[in-house]
């Protein structure tokens, strides 16, 4: 079967990657979607069971830091486009183990860029799309928004590694004329997020009557975006974005952590049929995250004005949908928290 495009999506077994794969596989049967993922603790092929047998989907268990393996995938599928999401993504883990973040996020990105450059040679019809984060811009005070022109000022090993990877992607554009786009997105939420991140962790803890560890005073602000809206923005930028450009993606939905947690607690009381105020009792203020960025907020007007994208799901609707999804997917959560998901796929792919 010949496909119009052979698109390599890295990190497709993770949270955002799995939503992007689902969107692309279903919306574009004329494209072959190759999911390249190392299946680290954050990769879970159970996120993709609904598309795993589609004729335009294929999976390769490969580590992006392994040049020969990445090259073999380019050759096997004649890859013409890359959408690169594979990364170590959790700030707290980057504080305890920064080297893993340098290896995957910096070296892994440069390996991909290099393989793409050498394999493509002629860049006509090619694109390297790098998915990045708003955290590269550092932290905001009470006012102001991150624009595409905001100077980089990363504060955590995670954001420093993402900033470094963004710089390398731009360097390949300027030095070698490689066609690239970069998007920098705010906090995503929704189904299939690993329960180390705030919302799935707290939903699961509330369900099991466990403490909700709020870092510091909880007065840290994030801009929350429904994950399928991020996937749709990537689709728009992939097809309509201008090479060499950066696009900020955000939800226009700023919440302090503590207000978000209060809202979540109310929703969870309703969903679990518990008396109002029950979940709130679980809130426990704990030691702050070192270098904790005070506020992130995105100006996504470039994406709206130039490419016509806007978020579609708002609060509280999106938060209610999220709470219901985790409560209704008990097996998914149990497989992840017990580690069973890893044992199963390890056996299947390492055989
Ligand atoms: P995630 O941690 O859920 O998934 C990461 C995926 O990458 C996993 O499937 C993992 O197995 C894979 N991976 C890790 N190391 C790899 C390696 N060496 N080789 C191949 N695969 C590897 O992450 P996510 O939250 O879905 O984030 C995806 C991307 O989006 C990341 O680049 C992240 O920086 C960016 N981003 C995330 C958010 C967010 O709110 N989660 C917001 C903006 C940008
Ligand atoms: O802004 C985009 C970024 O959003 C992405 O690039 C990252 O990959 C993603 O992990 C996310 O980073 P955050 O650090 O903002 O997300 P996290 O869910 O870890 O934390 C959200 C906020 O909640 C943050 O201010 C820290 C706080 N927090 C988090 C946890 C896990 C707590 O107070 N308690 C917790 O237990």
């Amino acid at each position: 079967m010949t496909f119009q495009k052979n698109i390599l999506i890295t990190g497709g077994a993770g949270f955002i990657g799995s939503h992007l794969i689902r969107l692309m596989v279903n919306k574009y049967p004329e494209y072959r979607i190759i999911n390249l993922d190392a299946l680290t603790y954050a990769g879970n092929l159970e996120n993709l069971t609904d598309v795993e047998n589609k004729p335009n989907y294929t999976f390769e268990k490969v580590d992006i830091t392994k040049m020969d393996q990445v090259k073999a995938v380019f050759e096997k599928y004649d890859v013409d486009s890359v959408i690169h999401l594979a990364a170590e993504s959790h700030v707290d883990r980057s504080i305890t183990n920064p080297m893993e973040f340098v290896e995957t996020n910096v070296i892994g990105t440069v390996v991909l860029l290099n393989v793409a450059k050498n394999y493509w040679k002629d860049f006509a019809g090619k694109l390297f799309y790098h998915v990045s984060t708003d955290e590269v811009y550092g932290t905001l005070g009470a006012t102001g928004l991150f624009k595409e022109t905001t100077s980089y000022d990363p504060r955590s090993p995670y954001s420093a590694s993402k900033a470094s990877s963004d710089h390398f992607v731009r360097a390949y554009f300027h030095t070698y004329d490689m066609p690239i786009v970069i998007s920098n997105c705010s906090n995503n939420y929704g189904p299939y997020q690993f329960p180390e991140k705030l919302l799935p962790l707290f939903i699961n803890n509330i369900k099991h009557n466990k403490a909700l560890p709020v870092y510091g005073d909880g007065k840290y602000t994030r801009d929350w975006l429904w994950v399928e809206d991020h996937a749709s923005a990537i689709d728009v930028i992939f097809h309509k974005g201008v090479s060499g450009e950066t696009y900020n993606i955000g939800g226009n939905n700023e919440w302090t952590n503590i207000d978000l947690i209060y809202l979540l607690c109310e929703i969870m009381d309703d969903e679990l049929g518990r008396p109002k105020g029950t979940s709130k009792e679980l809130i426990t203020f704990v030691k702050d995250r070192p270098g904790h960025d005070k506020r992130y907020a995105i100006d996504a007007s470039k994406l709206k004005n130039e490419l016509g994208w806007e978020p579609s799901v708002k609060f509280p609707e999106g938060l209610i949908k999220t709470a219901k999804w985790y409560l209704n997917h008990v097996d998914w959560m149990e497989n992840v928290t017990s580690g069973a998901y890893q044992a199963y796929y390890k056996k299947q792919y390492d055989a």
Side-chain angles (χ1 to χ4, degrees):
M1 194 167 168
T2 315
F3 291 96
Q4 235 180 62
K5 282 184 186 295
N6 294 311
I7 306 174
L8 184 74
I9 298 186
T10 70
F15 168 47
I16 302 167
S18 61
H19 287 278
L20 179 67
I21 297 252
R22 182 171 300 102
L23 182 156
M24 299 293 277
V25 165
N26 288 327
K27 187 169 172 187
Y28 302 108
E30 67 275 26
Y31 296 169
R32 173 157 56 188
I33 305 298
I34 307 124
N35 176 11
L36 183 156
D37 198 296
L39 299 184
T40 67
Y41 81 94
N44 183 357
L45 289 176
E46 274 184 54
N47 299 356
L48 288 166
T49 45
D50 54 332
V51 295
E52 68 187 4
N53 293 320
K54 298 266 181 173
N56 63 334
Y57 171 78
T58 183
F59 172 70
E60 293 285 343
K61 183 175 185 293
V62 164
D63 182 332
I64 55 167
T65 63
K66 306 278 186 276
M67 180 97 69
D68 289 351
Q69 293 177 26
V70 174
K71 190 164 161 259
V73 173
F74 270 70
E75 285 163 358
K76 182 171 172 187
Y77 298 103
D78 191 21
V79 168
D80 49 51
S81 318
V82 174
I83 309 181
H84 173 38
L85 294 95
E88 287 296 332
S89 69
H90 191 41
V91 175
D92 293 332
R93 285 182 191 252
S94 83
I95 294 166
T96 45
N97 199 353
M99 280 313 294
E100 266 182 15
F101 285 68
V102 175
E103 273 154 25
T104 296
N105 299 359
V106 185
I107 296 174
T109 301
V110 181
V111 165
L112 276 171
L113 284 163
N114 226 38
V115 171
K117 175 174 88 63
N118 293 339
Y119 181 74
W120 288 341
K121 295 184 182 78
D122 170 9
F123 289 140
K126 311 294 196 301
L127 181 65
F128 191 103
Y129 182 152
H130 179 59
V131 175
S132 192
T133 171
D134 61 356
E135 299 199 10
V136 297
Y137 298 122
T139 184
L140 290 164
T143 58
L145 301 171
F146 294 136
K147 300 173 88 68
E148 287 81 358
T149 49
T150 303
S151 299
Y152 275 30
D153 187 19
R155 309 298 185 95
S156 72
Y158 164 68
S159 54
S161 69
K162 291 297 289 188
S164 172
S165 64
D166 293 12
H167 289 319
F168 271 104
V169 174
R170 288 196 186 94
Y172 272 63
F173 171 72
H174 291 294
T175 309
Y176 307 111
D177 290 327
M178 182 186 279
I180 65 104
V181 283
I182 299 180
S183 55
N184 296 83
C185 188
S186 63
N187 285 63
N188 286 214
Y189 72 98
Y192 301 114
Q193 187 170 31
F194 196 84
E196 63 187 349
K197 308 279 168 64
L198 181 75
L199 285 172
L201 176 74
F202 278 31
I203 290 168
N204 199 38
N205 282 10
I206 291 172
K207 185 182 163 194
H208 296 289
N209 284 309
K210 284 166 68 178
L212 307 176
V214 178
Y215 297 162
D217 61 6
K219 293 189 180 142
Y220 294 87
T221 301
R222 299 290 183 264
D223 172 3
W224 292 91
L225 177 70
W226 176 244
V227 62
E228 290 178 333
D229 278 336
H230 188 185
S232 81
I234 294 174
D235 174 20
V236 169
I237 295 167
F238 176 78
H239 286 97
K240 302 206 293 191
V242 175
S243 177
E245 291 292 315
T246 296
Y247 299 90
N248 280 354
I249 310 172
N252 198 17
N253 182 31
E254 279 186 57
W255 287 80
T256 60
N257 292 341
I258 195 67
D259 286 344
L260 175 71
I261 293 158
Y262 286 150
L263 177 61
L264 179 69
C265 286
E266 281 174 29
I267 291 170
M268 291 296 287
D269 286 344
D270 278 356
E271 292 298 324
L272 295 168
R274 294 178 181 169
K276 276 190 196 321
T278 310
S279 303
K280 226 172 140 176
E281 297 289 311
L282 298 168
I283 291 174
T284 314
F285 291 92
V286 298
K287 192 168 171 284
D288 210 349
R289 172 186 278 176
H292 200 168
D293 288 333
K294 191 76 189 164
R295 176 172 165 258
Y296 304 145
I298 281 277
D299 176 352
S301 58
K302 175 176 173 182
L303 186 53
K304 181 179 173 194
N305 298 336
E306 296 183 12
L307 306 187
W309 176 90
E310 279 188 273
S312 70
V313 176
K314 303 222 164 11
F315 268 15
E317 178 204 345
L319 198 53
I320 296 169
K321 273 165 74 162
T322 303
K324 281 186 193 294
W325 190 88
Y326 287 99
L327 292 176
N328 289 334
H329 289 76
V330 177
D331 289 351
W332 183 90
M333 185 58 93
E334 276 176 6
N335 276 345
V336 172
T337 47
S338 69
Y341 73 111
Q342 273 192 314
Y344 176 75
Y345 289 107
K346 221 177 166 22
K347 216 162 115 199
Q348 194 175 351
Y349 287 99
D350 291 349

